[in-house]
Amino acid sequence: MAEGKEEKHNIIIRLYGIVQSVGLRPFVERLARAHSITGAVRNSGGLLEIEARGTAPRLEAFYRDILEKKPKHALIVHSETHNAPHEDFNGFAIEKSSDAKGPVFLSPDICVCHDCVREMYDPKDARYRHPFISCMSCGPRYSIIEGAPYDRENTTMREFGMCPMCAREYADNGDRRFHAQTISCHECGPYLLFRDPEGKTYTREEAFGKAVEAVKGGGIIAVKGIGGYHLACSPYSEETVMRLREIKMRELKPFAVMFPDMESVKRHCEVSAREEALLESDARPIVLLEKGEESLAPAVCNKSRFVGAFLWYTPLQAMLLAECGPLVMTSANVSEDPIINDDEEMMKWSRRLDGILYNERKIAVRLDDSVVRSVAGKTQMIRRSRGYAPLPVLLPGTGIEGYGVFAAGGELKGSFCLASGRFAYPSQHLGDLGGLGNGSVYRETFERMKRIFRIEPRIAACDMHPGYESSLFARSLGLPLIEVQHHHAHIASVIAEHGLLKPVIGVAFDGTGYGEDGAVWGGEFLICECEAYRRAGHLKYVKFLGGDEGMRDAAKSALMYLIDCGSGNVTKDPRWPLISAAVENGVNTHDNSSMGRLFDAAAALLGACSYNRYEAECASALENLAHAALRRGIKPLQMRFDICEREGMLIADASPVIRALCENADAGAAALGFHRAAADMTVSMCERLRDKNGINDVALSGGVFQNTLLLEDTMEKLKEKGFAAYMNEAVPPNDAGICLGQAYIGLKKMEKRGTLGCA
Ligand code: ZN
Ligand code: FE
């Protein structure tokens, strides 16, 4: 066998994932030379293909080293090797990226790296104080991509010709900027521009100086970022922050604050080790942190007990915060409109602002900052956008290559999903589809993603709700349509991201979703397996009055609950006689099992908050009340749901809870007791369903699980009872995540039809 070891073989190695412009090709070339392997390496889309010739042990070591020592930002989703016919090579060649078939993977935007920051602050470096410094392992990615493969000519960097220095580094495979598509410097890259309110424009260091001056003088400026413009100002001036609220037409919803370093975050917020890691991760998301000692102007977060905190992620932001300290950094848009990414559009605001700091590199894809939190020892995605999009979710099962599914998503939290084969690509956060402008961004994004990811949908999936803009869009495509029940989609999103192939008990708690029976669902217990589900339990139906507009009125939700449990007469609400008469006569009423409405009702009954001026305001106020009680060591007020079974359906009745909330106990103790009761009820329902169905896996989803107190308590109690509990991590538990569930159900249904030959 000694000579056998010297015998050379040919193999092909295939790596799927983020394999472009992360330094893989030069890395593979260096490794090949080190292992005396000849051959070639090439990119095609999300596939890196290596032809290699060498002895068996060397090939083996080569393959192992590739997987173990790969560059930091190369993300391998799947890898495989195949034997290949004999072919001789002259050395080892890096071939040009080629257009591809198969799945496409593109890198999300990556925060500026340590090496680049070091160079940026080194007066001897050619890129000293270059606000757009980047390298092979950092810088904008998805936000500048106009087509695949990821090469400079397919990005908005195309417009900036390389200077001789950059061109040299770009071509040098020993350099940190070898094949770095975003390479630039003071000579050739984009440079800073500042437009003052009078329309006067400054450039480079002068532009930067003017921007700093404006912010330090208590001004509000627009700053062009990665996925769009931010509005920036000091978080310490109440007056300035109030002015920002006026400009944005955002009355109360908290603003995110960008901090210059971790010490500064820690002075203002409580930070755990997990949260620290999230803050410093490449995606640099906004992390929801409990308020700490040093305070910001009250108008920044208002009553929220959280600060949306993040660290700078572009070189420009690093420079700006080094001068100005922490800054409110909020998407430049009006209220819920799409984030502004266009210079001309931003300039229309110039009279209202104290300046606009920008550059001429175009933003191809609008991306808001992502929002996450650490809860139950896991990461919960609240808004998935910059830094995460467009990474796909690997779906369980095999999947049919080339059979695309378009899943339209929800309504208030617009986002859709394109899936093909084993990969599902959820779009970035697209805002309220009822809002002006978001609908067209949705359609634009659909066209772009279809083209870039080469997925031509053959079927569409959407919510059953007849009025969702997303459902109307799905219908307009003229494809075979699969309507997916809202809460089934929530649970399927957990099934898809965790690859749960066995049946699960799904617990979907949210504000509202269209039920199979035409009622408003939202406190649901489902038995789900693959693409099928059945409803096995729910919160007892309570009669509600009127349509969706009334849902913001928590006092009215409380009234509906009071009337339902015969305690309507305890209320001082002047609407009681009229509403109870309407309910009695069944005028304009509907059945409602929403957990979101029950949280609203509890908030109103305890005087925490009686009207949702923004989404989930009442539920957050209730959680704050309970959380404060917990911190003060107050014992929860005892209360519990009644659970009974009717015709095989488990019904959780909140009547005893509502009555307990009316007892005039300490509001904090009652709020805490309410949270505990909801978690206890959830676990009892799951236990009964386990007894009946022999299922031990539980999937939790729906916007109500953004309540950390409820989620942590429920997860813990489920584990105590021996359940395996799963929650959304890759996509949000709110309606932005349902597109993934819809896509999964769509693909599975298509797969079944395919094998049955009736597709
Ligand atoms: Zn870098
Ligand atoms: Fe929902």
Side-chain angles (χ1 to χ4, degrees), residues 486 490 510 512 735:
H486 187 92
H490 271 305
D510 67 359
T512 169
D735 284 3

Side-chain angles (χ1 to χ4, degrees), residues 520-759:
V520 172
W521 293 11
E524 307 307 310
F525 293 81
L526 313 175
I527 304 290
C528 302
E529 183 175 13
C530 200
E531 78 288 350
Y533 91 102
R534 80 183 155 81
R535 195 185 196 195
H538 58 90
L539 275 187
K540 196 192 85 174
Y541 279 143
V542 169
K543 289 271 179 244
F544 266 64
L545 202 59
D548 284 355
E549 343 71 70
M551 297 303 180
R552 308 186 78 159
D553 188 345
K556 193 167 144 198
S557 294
L559 200 48
M560 304 321 294
Y561 264 98
L562 288 172
I563 291 170
D564 177 77
C565 66
S567 307
N569 50 357
V570 307
T571 176
K572 292 183 195 81
D573 197 314
R575 294 174 292 184
W576 175 62
L578 205 68
I579 290 181
S580 72
V583 170
E584 214 159 286
N585 298 312
V587 181
N588 191 20
T589 60
H590 64 266
D591 286 330
N592 191 311
S593 61
S594 158
M595 185 57 101
R597 293 296 84 76
L598 179 57
F599 269 77
D600 279 356
L605 289 173
L606 296 178
C609 185
S610 59
Y611 192 87
N612 288 298
R613 286 167 297 181
Y614 58 90
E615 199 197 0
E617 187 187 357
C618 295
S620 307
L622 183 71
E623 190 191 348
N624 288 346
L625 195 59
H627 190 262
L630 188 68
R631 285 216 161 175
R632 281 183 288 136
I634 289 176
K635 269 199 166 155
L637 182 68
Q638 292 299 314
M639 58 185 89
R640 57 174 198 82
F641 290 71
D642 275 341
I643 298 176
C644 66
E645 192 174 329
R646 262 178 243 149
E647 291 158 23
M649 185 73 73
L650 288 179
I651 306 292
D653 182 354
S655 303
V657 170
I658 294 291
R659 282 193 284 270
L661 293 175
C662 296
E663 270 171 19
N664 279 331
D666 174 80
L672 188 56
F674 174 80
H675 280 79
R676 296 285 183 250
D680 288 338
M681 176 274 290
T682 305
V683 177
S684 311
M685 293 282 275
C686 288
E687 285 184 284
R688 289 183 186 225
L689 292 172
R690 174 165 64 186
D691 291 346
K692 274 168 77 173
N693 301 282
I695 301 172
N696 198 53
D697 288 358
V698 178
L700 307 176
S701 189
V704 170
F705 283 112
Q706 283 172 199
N707 181 314
T708 57
L709 215 54
L710 176 72
L711 178 61
E712 289 193 326
D713 198 20
T714 308
M715 290 287 277
E716 208 165 289
K717 284 171 172 157
L718 283 171
K719 270 174 210 157
E720 270 168 31
K721 297 288 181 189
F723 286 101
Y726 300 88
M727 56 180 256
N728 288 112
E729 293 170 61
V731 296
N734 60 49
D735 284 3
I738 64 172
C739 60
L740 177 65
Q742 293 168 350
Y744 177 70
I745 292 165
L747 268 177
K748 288 294 151 191
K749 288 204 166 165
M750 195 156 64
E751 220 175 275
K752 280 226 164 127
R753 281 190 214 167
T755 52
L756 294 173
C758 52

Side-chain angles (χ1 to χ4, degrees), residues 241-260:
V241 177
M242 288 307 287
R243 195 152 63 84
L244 177 61
R245 290 204 172 274
E246 243 167 70
I247 292 172
K248 270 199 67 148
M249 294 200 254
R250 177 151 143 182
E251 218 182 321
L252 293 158
K253 219 173 137 191
F255 287 134
V257 180
M258 185 178 273
F259 291 93

